[in-house]
Amino acid sequence: MQRLFVIFTLASCIVALFDDLHLPDNPVYYKEYHRQCGVPLKCASDWRCPNVYNWKHLELWAQQEAINRFEWESSFQNNPCYLVSEKEYDFNLFFTNALDFDDEIGVKNTLTTDILLQHLASQGKCTVRNLLEGYCPNVNRSLSLDKCQHRKAYDCDPNYPYRTYNGVCNNLRHTTWGQSGNPLKLEMAPCFDDFVSKHRMSTSGRSLPNNRNIISDIQRAKNSQGTVVPPTAIFNIFGLIFSEFVTSDMVGRAMKRTRNATSGFRGCRADGSDVSLFRAPLTEPLHIFNIDPNYGPKNVKCLNFSPIENANDQCDIRYPSKRSIATSYLDMSSTYGEGKYDSTGKLVTSFCEASSTFGQSHVITIQFLAVAGLFSQLHNYCIDRVSLCGQGQSKEDMIEKCRSLTIGVYQRIVYEELLLALFGEEFYSQCNFDCEYDEGLESSISSTYTNALGRFQHIWMPENFTLVEGNDRIQKSVPEFFLNLETYDCSMVLEGTFDDPIRIQTLSESVN
């Protein structure tokens, strides 16, 4: 009980801190960085700036270093020892897509700026902080980084009636807003020890507590409460998977990438007992303690993990932000992708009737495929019905009509069912969902969402999922549903997701 009190007291203090801050919607600078990050850096003054006499030489050096690092990291894609094998639990869990020409330039540009800022930070924390906070306008003007600027121009047709699949030109005034590959929005400052990349340390100089340990403590504390939850507060596995489907639609995960596609880079040994001797440079293996309630009993001490890639394709001097690989809109881009259709306009599907685009580009469990397949089936059913209405319609018109219907159904579920279940009726009633189009409202996804609310439900994920076979309810461990997908009946798996409750009350009550 004492631990529970400490945890929620701490949470209340953090919430109160941010309530007192004046956070702009998408800030360029963080004037209250020291308050947001909790450990203010003591600087002799706020006017010292990086002192480099030959910016152009430094820029060319950083660019060459970025090219060399990219080529070195890409070399590991050709050695199977550094890749997760097909028989392992997390095969494809951290897959990476291939880079096209523009993607590769963007990755190298981002690396260039990261390397440059890391070099400046090694010369002095205070000076790089002042640079990032906008106190060094003369340096910013000198440090143009014009050698790695790369802006692709888009010629949008204002009369084209359909929204694009990658988000480009959906806002005619700001053609790249909401585009896949854009950086996530940062309302709160990213807290690094050197303001650029080094892990933040405590005031004593020690490492901060292990993040997974903190989550596990919250899990144990909540479970020890033994609170009787009313039936209306039950959220099931279907809701969890659907929430992940929404997240993949808006964000996805842009792993740090090499030139060619991979099934995921290795950080740990195959049995999870330790860090692998063949650890790839793009991974950051997670250390698991014996007290971990989920992995400790299984003697798993290491989990593979690949960080999300930074996005700074224009080489702007700013704090690092993570990259999205999906459009920011609720437009089912994870399902429709670039539009893979057969000759009739139906989505080309794979297992569980999920679209082939979805099946090839997302972290897959059988439950995830089954939920995604519901919407692919709706699109294809719509094509069948629309085709009966006459022969005068083009294939493109039929596709877009059914795409519009499917997305409309999906959005209605999100707004009228999912958000209501997560946040509770009282909180939900205070939200004003204005459906009017606003071309001046920037489309971007908050990093706070992906790192907090988008993951919060995992605390209550059970150890087993239900598989329905006739009148039988069979319990299988969660990892089994990542393997041998074709051995499962999709409808039985989908039915089982409704039988697995997650007792979270409402999300707003759990957070508070």
Side-chain angles (χ1 to χ4, degrees), residues 37-192:
C37 292
V39 183
L41 177 68
K42 295 180 180 178
C43 292
S45 67
D46 283 333
W47 57 265
R48 295 175 58 216
C49 294
N51 186 16
V52 177
Y53 296 103
N54 191 342
W55 287 113
K56 294 299 180 185
H57 175 76
L58 183 61
E59 175 188 347
L60 290 172
W61 167 81
Q63 187 176 37
Q64 187 58 52
E65 284 291 304
I67 293 172
N68 293 341
R69 182 184 297 181
F70 178 81
E71 295 299 335
W72 175 66
E73 291 171 344
S74 290
S75 68
F76 289 87
Q77 71 192 12
N78 303 316
N79 189 333
C81 293
Y82 290 94
L83 301 175
V84 178
S85 69
E86 190 170 353
K87 295 181 179 180
E88 294 179 48
Y89 162 69
D90 43 9
F91 176 72
N92 260 338
L93 196 64
F94 301 110
F95 73 94
T96 60
N97 286 327
L99 297 171
D100 62 24
F101 178 77
D102 290 315
D103 287 336
E104 185 169 322
I105 291 177
V107 171
K108 290 177 179 177
N109 283 356
T110 297
L111 272 174
T112 297
T113 316
D114 289 348
I115 290 169
L116 179 84
L117 289 175
Q118 288 166 17
H119 172 76
L120 294 177
S122 69
Q123 307 299 308
K125 294 182 182 180
C126 291
T127 55
V128 79
R129 184 205 68 173
N130 293 340
L131 177 65
L132 291 170
E133 286 298 316
Y135 297 133
C136 304
N138 292 332
V139 176
N140 270 310
R141 282 192 291 269
S142 301
L143 191 59
S144 62
L145 289 175
D146 55 357
K147 294 296 182 183
C148 75
Q149 293 293 324
H150 176 68
R151 297 184 182 276
K152 186 175 180 179
Y154 295 100
D155 185 18
C156 303
D157 180 1
N159 298 314
Y160 187 69
Y162 307 122
R163 298 177 74 84
T164 63
Y165 286 90
N166 64 0
V168 173
C169 292
N170 286 342
N171 186 321
L172 295 176
R173 181 176 162 193
H174 304 282
T175 57
T176 61
W177 280 7
Q179 178 186 358
S180 58
N182 276 359
L184 299 174
K185 180 172 65 175
L186 289 171
E187 309 95 329
M188 296 180 287
C191 301
F192 295 106

Side-chain angles (χ1 to χ4, degrees), residues 196-216:
V196 176
S197 62
K198 289 186 178 179
H199 291 299
R200 180 181 162 196
M201 309 298 286
S202 70
T203 52
S204 65
R206 297 179 179 177
S207 298
L208 292 174
N210 181 283
N211 179 62
R212 185 168 181 86
N213 274 3
I214 294 175
I215 296 297
S216 297

